[in-house]
Amino acid sequence: MKVLVVDDEPQIRRALKAGLERSNYQVRLAATGEEGLSLAAMEPPDVVILDLAMPQGDGFQVCKGLREWSKVPIIVLSVRDSEEDKIKALDLGADDYLTKPFGINELLARIRAVLRRSAHEAGPEETQFTYDGLSIDFVKRVVTLHDKEIHLTPKEYDLLGYMVHNADRVLTHRQLLGKVWGPEFAEDHHTLRVHVANLRNKIEPQPERPRFIHTETRVGYRFHTQPRGGV
Amino acid sequence: MFGSRAAIVAAILAFLAFDFFFVEPRFQFTVRDPFEFVALCVFLATGLLVGQLTGLLRRREQDAQERALFASTLAKASWTVASELDAPKALTSLLSELSCIDGLNYAAVTILLDESESKVIAQYLPEGALAPDLRLYEDAQKFVYAQRQSVGWDDGQHWEKVLPQDASSSFILLPVSKESEVQGIFIMRLHGKVDLGAEQKKLVEAILNHVAVVLQRDKLLQAQADARALQETNKLKTALLQMVSHDFRSPLASIKTNATTLAASTPDSPVDEPVRKVLLDSIEEESDRLNRMVGNLLDLSRLEAKAWETRREAFSVTELIGVSLDSFNELDNNRIEIANAAGETEVESDFVQMTQVMRNLLENALKYSPTTSRVEFSINKDGGAVLFKVRDHGAGLPKNQEDEIFEPFFRAKEHQESAFPGLGMGLAVCKGLVEVNGGTLSAYNSTEGGAVFCVRLPLKEQG
């Protein structure tokens, strides 16, 4: 698996190279946006790690540029308190984000998650999903928790299904609303919140300590299939 | 009402009546006996004299009363100035003392804002009177400011040129000045073309002096407040620098030591695996700590600048709890017990800031109590608000310092050496964040030991 790391700071490039190579990824490094784009064109990577905090908004340019001709999964690295940047990047086509400083395990988990998704897009749809007592049969449209059937409304089912198909990947409010309700509802955060709350009440053993559906503050939600500590 | 003229008439009438009824020959105005005529004249003279004296006495009494009124008005004015520190209130009270001036149907004090606009800061308007449109008198006010002269006060002033023509009332504008600086303008409107008497002018001047004192004092109080604010800012800056140099060096030192220890590992003299793990875990922990401190530092600098922007949105209590707990590892999470009696109740505030507050409070609770003890996080509805309580079973808050803990950089004396840095900033930031979101943060010691922190947030408005 090839990883392209685009970051203007040498220590970060070094650190990521060491961490990723240890997990048997092939790593290519770029220090500027321009370099990143040309490397991506010459040697198409399987996933791109992109620092948003590069000078002159380079990070966003790369994102935009890449998306013009590539569907390669992009994970952006952001800093604290920059929700607007994260949302902007996600809207420009990035697949997920990670806030600095982060542990290498978190990054590896995110990479695995986005690679899983792109693999799914290429291959056949899953018919079943099981994790930690929660089981979904996509053919029969049945959801069970510890073998007990849970009744979900159609919208709740669609919401859960979409999240599960993108497990461990962040989904923005806009994406969730657009997919489940339609593009005209992209700003109706309240409806989404209410449905997520209802869903949590139905499938989470303890809604205040969600195991499955995690809130990504101001950005959206993420369905976790990694136990705590691994993400 | 009667005056000395009445006294004269009364004396003459008495003289005539006495002559008519009592002096021979009766019922006639002639007098037979010359002595009796002299007596009558003396009688008249006495009557006239007494009348005049009485009139004089009466005038004196009137003067005395006026002076007494003047004195009591001044006394009241001085009292107002001394006791009322709020300038507009003091000025309004001073202006109302002028109500004893006949014909006065409006009085005001204005100040000039940046060269062009004037603002009324106090006024007196008797019942039934209409306030004048002072915009018509802008030029007059500018004139008074520029020339430091009064308008309509002294005779012979060319005030007709400056004031709009209005036959039904006359205006008087006086500069309010202390030490040759005009601080404001005093405006009076009198009914018709009235002339103020000398006593009344004295009263006005006395009130004016008091007005000047009030305006001057207000300026000084403002300067004092500004100086104090500046002092606070400087104090914070100094404390911040001290904190950065001390608190940041501490985790950095341990990271460096651990890293160099690991780096010094050679095949001949390796670092044992368990030790390696400890050192590496410590490096990770200290990095996290540094990261939190950086965050706190940013928040604290915003606290100082009072530069928090809140992005209000509605979110459920459940969601707030969920995200707040997310940042704690498994061990810590297991120590936190949740009792949510508010269900999915929605509050309206800045989600990021409120999760930060909850995390901070939970972190403190975990740190300041034994690792075997629980931390209780309970949520209840309370009237139009939601009450969040974080309760620990540790040593509790320092006695008698329950309110001080929210001051920036407070450190309880026992924790001076700070095995737990960051508390100093954390609570001040939390309080600031909660308050800017329309809530309150308080703390007290539980009767069963341990500290309780309460956050009250307003419910989302229905509608």
Side-chain angles (χ1 to χ4, degrees):
Chain A
M1 283 285 153
K2 289 209 211 94
V3 181
L4 171 64
V5 173
V6 187
D7 196 312
D8 62 319
E9 281 171 16
Q11 325 87 289
I12 307 275
R13 290 199 299 272
R14 236 184 352 244
L16 289 179
K17 185 168 154 81
L20 292 169
E21 277 180 350
R22 201 176 154 268
S23 289
N24 298 320
Y25 289 101
Q26 275 181 54
V27 182
R28 292 286 175 270
L29 301 173
T32 66
E34 214 181 298
E35 218 183 300
L37 283 170
S38 51
L39 268 180
M42 286 194 304
E43 292 182 51
D46 296 298
V47 62
V48 176
I49 312 291
L50 177 60
D51 179 26
L52 280 184
M54 288 196 292
Q56 285 146 12
D58 247 10
F60 296 110
Q61 309 280 37
V62 172
C63 218
K64 220 161 113 185
L66 269 179
R67 278 290 171 260
E68 276 168 18
W69 48 267
S70 170
K71 278 198 183 157
V72 66
I74 303 174
I75 298 178
V76 292
L77 303 178
S78 61
V79 290
R80 181 189 190 260
D81 284 350
S82 63
E83 268 82 23
E84 277 80 37
D85 283 353
K86 287 180 208 157
I87 298 173
K88 190 170 157 193
L90 291 167
D91 284 341
L92 281 175
D95 294 79
D96 210 334
Y97 66 86
L98 203 49
T99 309
K100 291 195 273 198
F102 53 83
I104 196 71
N105 290 332
E106 285 176 75
L107 179 60
L108 291 170
R110 299 271 155 107
I111 292 177
R112 279 198 298 273
V114 295
L115 287 177
R116 219 182 309 143
R117 180 177 153 260
S118 55
H120 282 155
E121 298 211 307
E125 278 271 328
E126 296 179 319
T127 52
Q128 235 236 4
F129 168 84
T130 306
Y131 170 68
D132 206 4
L134 181 69
S135 190
I136 308 178
D137 185 329
F138 291 111
V139 178
K140 294 197 196 135
R141 288 175 74 94
V142 164
V143 178
T144 59
L145 183 66
H146 297 300
D147 298 320
K148 199 161 150 243
E149 188 174 340
I150 311 251
H151 295 283
L152 299 177
T153 69
K155 284 279 180 277
E156 285 166 4
Y157 178 84
D158 287 340
L159 192 58
L160 181 60
Y162 183 50
M163 284 200 227
V164 160
H165 277 127
N166 289 281
D168 294 308
R169 222 192 111 224
V170 71
L171 293 170
T172 63
H173 296 124
R174 182 189 295 264
Q175 284 171 322
L176 287 160
L177 285 162
K179 177 82 182 180
V180 176
W181 280 271
E184 356 30 303
F185 296 93
E187 300 301 320
D188 193 357
H189 291 205
H190 184 76
T191 303
L192 179 60
R193 249 196 338 263
V194 170
H195 277 81
V196 168
N198 290 338
L199 202 50
R200 275 186 177 138
N201 279 323
K202 289 183 182 175
I203 67 171
E204 298 278 1
Q206 200 186 9
E208 289 91 5
R209 283 191 153 109
R211 198 106 124 275
F212 305 116
I213 304 174
H214 283 246
T215 306
E216 297 284 325
T217 312
R218 292 234 177 99
V219 175
Y221 297 94
R222 188 193 300 270
F223 191 95
H224 273 207
T225 60
Q226 304 289 326
R228 187 184 291 285
V231 190
Chain B
M1 182 165 70
F2 293 97
S4 51
R5 242 173 283 159
I8 295 173
V9 169
I12 294 175
L13 277 177
F15 162 75
L16 288 173
F18 195 74
D19 176 12
F20 195 77
F21 290 109
F22 296 105
V23 176
E24 299 293 333
R26 298 207 185 185
F27 306 109
Q28 282 180 51
F29 280 112
T30 53
V31 180
R32 194 178 302 151
D33 192 340
F35 281 127
E36 296 206 334
F37 184 70
V38 170
L40 264 177
C41 288
V42 169
F43 181 65
L44 176 65
T46 313
L48 288 170
L49 193 66
V50 167
Q52 291 308 305
L53 285 174
T54 314
L56 195 66
L57 191 69
R58 229 180 116 248
R59 268 199 301 281
R60 288 261 167 86
E61 202 187 304
Q62 270 177 343
D63 278 350
Q65 268 181 358
E66 248 183 62
R67 272 198 292 275
L69 184 65
F70 182 63
S72 89
T73 305
L74 272 188
K76 266 195 271 174
S78 300
W79 172 247
T80 304
V81 169
S83 61
E84 181 61 70
L85 288 176
D86 177 65
K89 280 197 198 142
L91 291 173
T92 309
S93 183
L94 283 174
L95 289 176
S96 61
E97 299 301 337
L98 293 167
S99 56
C100 56
I101 294 184
D102 279 333
L104 179 77
N105 57 27
Y106 180 75
V109 176
T110 68
I111 52 173
L112 199 68
L113 306 165
D114 346 304
E115 307 303 320
S116 48
E117 244 186 274
S118 75
K119 183 172 166 215
V120 175
I121 47 178
Q123 64 180 26
Y124 160 71
L125 195 64
E127 262 190 63
L130 286 171
D133 183 359
L134 287 177
R135 285 173 303 185
L136 297 171
Y137 298 89
E138 284 283 333
D139 286 337
Q141 293 184 60
K142 286 196 189 126
F143 172 80
V144 172
Y145 264 110
Q147 304 297 325
R148 297 206 196 115
Q149 274 180 37
S150 56
V151 169
W153 184 246
D154 297 323
D155 306 317
Q157 281 188 315
H158 301 292
W159 54 279
E160 286 95 352
K161 286 194 201 153
V162 183
L163 296 177
Q165 299 303 321
D166 181 1
S168 63
S169 17
S170 39
F171 271 83
I172 298 176
L173 282 79
L174 294 161
V176 177
S177 49
K178 205 107 188 117
E179 289 149 31
S180 80
E181 196 198 312
V182 178
Q183 296 167 311
I185 305 219
F186 175 72
I187 302 178
M188 284 200 298
R189 182 181 66 187
L190 299 162
H191 192 71
K193 291 241 187 288
V194 167
D195 274 325
L196 291 176
E199 282 296 317
Q200 295 176 317
K201 278 196 175 174
K202 261 203 266 176
L203 178 64
V204 171
E205 276 168 357
I207 298 284
L208 209 63
N209 261 322
H210 285 77
V211 168
V213 167
V214 169
L215 288 177
Q216 176 83 329
R217 181 180 61 190
D218 200 46
K219 239 169 76 169
L220 290 173
L221 283 174
Q222 186 59 45
Q224 195 185 41
D226 289 342
R228 235 180 253 140
L230 191 63
Q231 225 182 17
E232 279 302 311
T233 304
N234 285 337
K235 241 183 16 184
L236 267 175
K237 284 210 175 95
T238 313
L240 208 71
L241 287 171
Q242 280 177 348
M243 193 202 63
V244 167
S245 75
H246 176 268
D247 286 351
F248 276 54
R249 290 259 157 78
S250 168
L252 281 172
S254 81
I255 290 174
K256 173 126 189 169
T257 310
N258 292 353
T260 47
T261 304
L262 290 164
S265 170
T266 62
D268 298 330
S269 167
V271 177
D272 290 332
E273 188 52 39
V275 176
R276 260 173 55 97
K277 180 152 181 19
V278 166
L279 293 177
L280 289 168
D281 283 344
S282 168
I283 290 178
E284 187 175 352
E285 246 175 72
E286 296 299 274
S287 307
D288 284 339
R289 205 166 101 183
L290 266 175
N291 188 31
R292 273 198 302 273
M293 289 202 283
V294 167
N296 273 346
L297 195 63
L298 281 172
D299 289 329
L300 189 63
S301 67
R302 267 181 240 144
L303 169 74
E304 180 202 331
K306 309 229 190 306
W308 277 311
E309 282 164 26
T310 57
R311 275 184 50 179
R312 288 198 180 212
E313 47 180 335
F315 52 88
S316 74
V317 158
T318 319
E319 192 135 34
L320 179 64
I321 303 170
V323 177
S324 308
L325 291 174
D326 229 8
S327 60
F328 295 98
N329 64 37
E330 183 128 19
L331 272 172
D332 285 336
N333 233 295
N334 286 338
R335 284 177 61 195
I336 303 175
E337 262 176 32
I338 308 199
N340 178 12
E344 296 290 332
T345 309
E346 293 200 325
V347 291
E348 191 154 2
S349 357
D350 186 304
F351 189 67
V352 172
Q353 292 173 351
M354 289 304 97
T355 47
Q356 206 178 335
V357 168
M358 298 305 159
R359 275 190 203 140
N360 237 297
L361 295 177
L362 288 166
E363 209 180 302
N364 287 343
L366 289 167
K367 265 192 269 195
Y368 281 81
S369 61
T371 46
T372 48
S373 68
R374 333 180 287 286
V375 167
E376 285 136 31
F377 188 16
S378 64
I379 301 94
N380 290 289
K381 269 168 85 158
D382 180 30
V386 179
L387 198 60
F388 298 82
K389 276 195 188 155
V390 174
R391 180 156 171 218
D392 67 63
H393 292 271
L397 305 168
K399 297 278 180 299
N400 302 324
Q401 291 184 301
E402 284 92 345
D403 290 321
E404 278 172 56
I405 54 172
F406 294 107
E407 296 294 313
F409 305 108
F410 169 86
R411 268 175 226 259
K413 297 183 189 71
E414 309 89 78
H415 295 302
Q416 281 300 341
E417 270 323 299
S418 220
F420 310 110
L423 172 66
M425 276 189 296
L427 286 177
V429 170
C430 285
K431 188 155 199 241
L433 285 174
V434 169
E435 283 173 0
V436 90
N437 276 283
T440 58
L441 172 59
S442 58
Y444 57 89
N445 279 320
S446 160
T447 44
E448 293 136 31
V452 183
F453 282 81
C454 299
V455 175
R456 271 191 117 236
L457 286 180
L459 280 176
K460 173 182 169 202
E461 256 148 66
Q462 300 305 317

